[in-house]
Amino acid sequence: MTQARIRLTPELADLSRSAWEELIREANLGTEASEIARRYYINKECQIDIAIDKNTDRTQISRIISNSRRKMLLTLQKNILQTDMSLTTLFLLAR
């Protein structure tokens, strides 16, 4: 099995395994896309190995990974925005 060469955005680059699991869960990717995201991002399996195991072609896996990445980034940005709003509220209440 070949290890995937993953290029991540700065927002995703430093996530721990548990943070990846949580992000995949919160992004609500669906069963198949969640499994593929875990295998690609957490286990670092390459797309062709996942495609062979899933009996599909690599381009289909690539599309699923791209859509998953987009949903995970949106989820991460939403979480950051909510955290910022919570901190602002706490700051205003403390005044």
Side-chain angles (χ1 to χ4, degrees):
M1 177 173 59
T2 309
Q3 193 170 27
R5 290 176 285 169
I6 302 171
R7 283 180 248 137
L8 297 171
T9 61
E11 298 92 346
L12 298 174
D14 296 326
L15 293 181
S16 66
R17 182 182 181 92
S18 60
W20 273 112
E21 290 284 355
E22 183 69 15
L23 182 57
I24 290 169
R25 188 188 62 74
E26 285 183 13
N28 200 21
L29 303 175
T31 306
E32 183 179 35
S34 292
E35 178 191 347
I36 290 169
R38 277 187 197 91
R39 290 177 69 177
Y40 185 72
Y41 289 111
I42 297 171
N43 299 341
K44 303 207 180 343
E45 292 181 44
C46 67
Q47 293 179 19
I48 194 68
D49 288 343
I50 298 170
I52 290 168
D53 189 48
K54 292 286 190 184
N55 199 28
T56 190
D57 59 308
R58 192 203 58 80
T59 56
Q60 181 66 24
I61 298 300
S62 179
R63 278 189 217 109
I64 292 169
I65 289 169
S66 294
N67 289 334
S68 297
R69 182 185 306 116
R70 182 182 51 79
K71 288 179 181 179
M72 289 187 296
L73 281 170
L74 289 172
T75 300
L76 191 60
Q77 290 168 352
K78 180 185 79 171
N79 289 347
I80 290 169
L81 181 61
Q82 288 175 343
T83 301
D84 287 347
M85 289 174 60
S86 297
L87 292 174
T88 301
T89 303
L90 285 173
F91 175 75
L92 292 174
L93 290 173
R95 292 176 94 198

